[in-house]
Amino acid sequence: MTTIARLTLSALATIALLLAASPPAVAKATDAVDACGATDRGDLTATVPPEVQSKIFMTVTTSHGPLPVRCGNGVTTGAVHIEVKHRVPNWGDALSCIKKVIDRTPGQPNKNGKTNYALAVAPGNVFTVVRGDIGIITAYPSGGDLENKWRQCSVS
């Protein structure tokens, strides 16, 4: 085998290895589902055992101090809800984005006694975070392509 042929095969093998090891272009986190013992129902909701719903999944440190993100009920509140319904690609991006939204915008009281924060991170990408007495209730980007919008917010 010639040197050029060996180099070509070596290069092809390296490319194949890199492609096989690369994460999928659209991945979603399952950290909250796993840590909270939840079951993803496949309909943008999850079942979270009642005994862990108030468990703190993670904490985000903001200019308002540390705010817990609890497991929640998997339907309307908490980490499992945020992860499943709002398609968190990874919690590093999610926590970075939640912190950014809270730190950069004044909160507005809503009719349910909670505080809403909203930040436009790019045209067509407005992030909303809702905070209550128990910590972060929910967080989500507007529109579609949610996984990329989390990433965009994280690096903005």
Side-chain angles (χ1 to χ4, degrees):
M1 186 180 284
T2 68
T3 302
I4 293 175
R6 271 185 266 161
L7 287 173
T8 302
L9 284 176
S10 177
L12 290 173
T14 301
I15 291 169
L17 180 64
L18 289 172
L19 289 174
S22 298
V26 176
K28 76 175 196 180
T30 60
D31 298 338
V33 168
D34 296 342
C36 299
T39 304
D40 188 336
R41 297 181 193 160
D43 63 355
L44 303 180
T45 65
T47 302
V48 181
E51 63 274 12
V52 298
Q53 290 183 9
S54 61
K55 174 184 166 189
I56 295 174
F57 168 66
M58 288 189 176
T59 300
V60 58
T61 303
T62 71
S63 58
H64 299 276
L67 298 172
V69 183
R70 299 180 187 279
C71 286
N73 65 19
V75 178
T76 58
T77 66
V80 173
H81 159 73
I82 296 167
E83 185 175 273
V84 172
K85 182 171 184 180
H86 304 300
R87 299 177 165 278
V88 169
N90 69 70
W91 278 96
D93 285 340
L95 293 176
S96 171
C97 187
I98 291 168
K99 174 182 175 36
K100 191 171 294 177
V101 172
I102 290 174
D103 287 350
R104 291 187 184 175
T105 61
Q108 299 295 320
N110 70 21
K111 64 182 179 197
N112 298 321
K114 296 172 180 52
T115 304
N116 287 12
Y117 301 86
L119 177 66
V121 295
N125 190 358
V126 176
F127 261 83
T128 301
V129 176
V130 179
R131 178 181 140 207
D133 292 339
I134 62 168
I136 303 300
I137 305 296
T138 191
Y140 52 90
S142 59
D145 195 18
L146 302 180
E147 292 93 347
N148 285 323
K149 286 185 174 179
W150 282 105
R151 289 184 189 100
Q152 181 182 45
C153 177
S154 177
V155 300
S156 68

